[in-house]
Structure formats: structure tokens, C-alpha cells
Amino acid sequence: TPRAPTLHCSAAGVSQVTVRDALNQALDEELERDERVFLLGEEVAQYDGAYKISRGLWKKYGDKRVIDTPISEMGFTGIAVGAAMAGLRPVCEFMTFNFSMQAIDQVINSAAKTCYMSAGSIAVPIVFRGPNGASAGVAAQHSQCFAAWYGHCPGLKVVSPWSSEDAKGLLKASIRDDNPVVMLENELLYGVPFEMSEQAQSKDFVVPIGKAKIERQGTHVTLVSHSRPVGHCLEAAAILAKEGVECEVINLRTIRPMDIETVEASVVKTNHLVTVEGGWPQFGVGAEICARIMEGSAFNYLDAPAVRVTGADVPMPYAKILEDNCIPQVKDIIFAVKKTLNI
């Protein structure tokens, strides 16, 4: 049977649930809710998933609903896109988004463009999901962030969860959406427990696509991030608070469509902006946020230039000390905030 949350309750109605278990819950609930939903990918069935996200689902739903595929992203992604065009609702797992490049033609040319090019007559309700961004010690072949790549393409929705609540709510919303959705998870977050309310654990819970969340209120500087770096921003904010600097931390949750209104409202309040991401700087998510702020009315409220904290502009090295220097750390965020505030 699908894995139940195993960690203890921390308050009335609130449980500690790992991101892995939250994703498993979401898949189980949506497979049960809608017989058109099915999961396919490498090792998702008999092996319970490379990261155990699909644990127990094959035993519960069988070969037609949870399907092991050959190691051929181009092939099984094409099958999934065709199934979506024919009225099913596939969840297509990439063992890592780095290998989604093998299927870029199917994701962009087949899935993303079809609704528009058919004048809305052909929907492609499909979710492409799996781990994205830096893992640990797996070098350039496995540690790249594709948020900017997929966020660039009209016709796709792109979500990037941080917490267990994000993961469950966004996956359920993505499966129910009639558009192709790219869901960029993070392997290093799978085993991390987060508090989930009773409401978030209900079968009706969804997180709306296109809506950011303010994780921490603040008055001096706005920190905007997505995926794992949201946690780094909260750590940096806690340290800076001891020095009298109050950071407002925004968890984007969705890359496309981007909730720039929430960011603008925060910048109007704090007058300073720092973006944080694990991806490369050139044409990145932070670059887009900075451009949108500059082009809008919130620009008039900035008291200093916006600053980006990003991954290093190199393919990810294998050596741990080099890897650590390529990924934004808490100290990098603190340095950027102090630079922005001129302290």
C-alpha cells in the first residue's frame, strides 16, 4: 500500500510529513480520484520508484496505471503526450530532469505548442515531474536547474515546490490542470520533513498554480526564491534578524505563470530586493524577476539595485568543495543582503 506519513504529530491536527510522502499521497489520491490518471517512467512500478515517490502504487493500482518503461525518455514521453492528446492524464516521471533533454522535442514541440496551434481544440493534460537542480556529488550530468529553460516556453506551466505542502498541493493541481505542467522537484528535499496541517493532508487540498507564498514577513529587504534555496533564505533571515535586519521571504512556488504581483507588493514595502536560485545567472529566474520589477511601478520604490544570488556560471564540478562553492549558501545570501542594505 502507498506509504503513510510516519512522523509524529507536533501540534493538534499538524503532522511532520516528508516531501517524499507528500508526493506519494498526492499521486495515490489522484490515481484513486480519476481513472484517467496514470504514472509512467523508469522503475516507477515494481521497484517503487528510484526515490520511492511511487512506493506501493503499483501493488495497489496494477500494470495499467503504474507503468515501468525502458530507459528511453524520447519514447515514453512521446507515448505519454499522445495519451494526453487522446484524453488520458499521464504523469511522466523523469529520473532526473537533466535527461528530459532527451525528450525536449516531445515536451516543447508536441505538448507545449499543441493547444495554441490547434486554437484550443486539443488539450494536453500531462505532468512532467522529477528531481531538478543540484543533488550531491553527481556532477554536471545530474545537477542542473531547468527552471529557466522550461519557464521560457509559452504553453507550459512550471511549478517548483519547496515544502511538503507545496509538493502535495502543486502536484494535485498540476494533475487536474488541462495544460502541460512541468513540476521541478528537488532530490535533496525528498527526505526532509515539514509541518502539514490537517487541511493540507485532506484529499481536497490543492495549491493554486501561479500564486507565491510569503514564508516570513519582513520590512527591510525582500528575498525571492524557489525550491531548496527557500530554506537557505529562511536560515539567512533568522541569522540577520539577530542583527536587526528583517527579511521578507517569498517562496515563488510557480515559475510560470510568475506571481510578480506578490513580489512587487513586497518590494514596495521593503524597498530592497535580492533573488536567490540554484540555477545559472544568465537568462535565469532571478534575471526575469529583476527585469519585471524594473519595468513595473515597484521600481520607483527601490532604494538600491536589485541583487541576484545564483549558482556559479560553470557546469557542476564533482568534487564536494567545488560543488559547495557553485551552489548558493546561507553566507552568500547574508552577504548579498548586507551589500544591498549597505551595511
Side-chain angles (χ1 to χ4, degrees):
T1 58
R3 190 181 184 192
T6 52
L7 295 160
H8 299 294
C9 291
S10 55
V14 177
S15 299
Q16 294 275 338
V17 180
T18 65
V19 171
R20 175 181 290 110
D21 287 343
L23 291 166
N24 183 266
Q25 273 183 30
L27 286 168
D28 184 23
E29 290 169 9
E30 293 306 302
L31 283 161
E32 184 178 62
R33 176 180 171 272
D34 188 341
E35 64 182 12
R36 297 171 298 173
V37 176
F38 70 98
L39 172 68
L40 80 168
E42 296 152 357
E43 299 183 353
V44 300
Q46 295 187 43
Y47 188 65
D48 278 339
Y51 305 98
K52 305 306 174 208
I53 303 300
S54 53
R55 177 176 286 167
L57 298 179
W58 175 66
K59 288 179 181 175
K60 182 173 180 180
Y61 294 101
D63 290 328
K64 287 188 176 180
R65 306 288 302 282
V66 183
I67 303 169
D68 277 331
T69 67
I71 304 174
S72 174
E73 283 77 11
M74 185 185 296
F76 68 72
T77 305
I79 289 170
V81 172
M85 290 178 178
L88 299 179
R89 306 186 82 86
V91 178
C92 178
E93 178 180 306
F94 296 120
M95 197 175 287
T96 158
F97 258 96
N98 295 265
F99 301 146
S100 72
M101 294 293 97
Q102 300 289 324
I104 197 71
D105 181 51
Q106 284 74 20
V107 176
I108 305 301
N109 288 328
S110 297
K113 298 177 182 178
T114 293
C115 183
Y116 184 83
M117 295 180 74
S118 67
S121 63
I122 303 175
V124 189
I126 185 169
V127 180
F128 305 102
R129 55 155 295 272
N132 169 74
S135 182
V138 289
Q141 295 95 329
H142 299 78
S143 284
Q144 183 176 333
C145 178
F146 288 90
W149 284 63
Y150 288 118
H152 181 65
C153 301
L156 291 177
K157 293 184 178 180
V158 183
V159 299
S160 182
W162 167 61
S163 67
S164 299
E165 179 183 301
D166 293 347
K168 181 180 180 183
L170 286 171
L171 180 52
K172 287 171 72 74
S174 299
I175 292 170
R176 297 180 188 188
D177 202 287
D178 287 334
N179 298 278
V181 182
V182 172
M183 181 156 174
L184 304 170
E185 300 156 15
N186 187 285
E187 179 186 341
L188 297 177
L189 287 174
Y190 283 154
V192 177
F194 290 88
E195 285 192 352
M196 281 185 77
S197 65
E198 200 170 334
Q199 178 194 7
Q201 293 182 70
S202 77
K203 292 184 178 182
D204 300 321
F205 178 75
V206 293
V207 168
I209 295 172
K211 185 63 183 168
K213 181 182 179 184
I214 298 173
E215 299 286 352
R216 180 187 176 113
Q217 296 281 348
T219 53
H220 295 128
V221 61
T222 298
L223 298 178
V224 186
S225 189
H226 68 95
S227 191
R228 187 165 173 256
V230 173
H232 297 341
C233 287
L234 289 169
E235 285 182 50
I239 294 168
L240 286 161
K242 295 174 182 176
E243 300 179 33
V245 176
E246 293 297 334
C247 302
E248 183 144 296
V249 178
I250 297 177
N251 172 12
L252 275 180
R253 298 202 292 196
T254 304
I255 306 301
R256 183 183 187 104
M258 186 177 285
D259 182 6
I260 205 66
E261 293 79 14
T262 293
V263 180
E264 285 179 328
S266 180
V267 168
V268 167
K269 180 169 72 169
T270 68
N271 311 116
H272 299 89
L273 173 64
V274 174
T275 68
V276 184
E277 65 189 302
W280 294 318
Q282 188 156 319
F283 313 117
V285 175
E288 173 67 15
I289 295 167
C290 291
R292 298 276 283 275
I293 291 298
M294 188 187 75
E295 292 166 354
S297 59
F299 174 72
N300 298 314
Y301 291 84
L302 279 177
D303 288 343
V307 172
R308 292 178 295 159
V309 179
T310 72
D313 197 29
V314 297
M316 182 64 71
Y318 171 71
K320 186 176 189 325
I321 190 168
L322 296 178
E323 181 183 73
D324 289 344
N325 279 284
C326 282
I327 303 168
Q329 307 289 341
V330 172
K331 62 181 176 60
D332 302 316
I333 300 168
I334 292 171
F335 178 83
V337 167
K338 290 185 174 181
K339 175 183 174 184
T340 305
L341 296 174
N342 197 28
I343 55 175

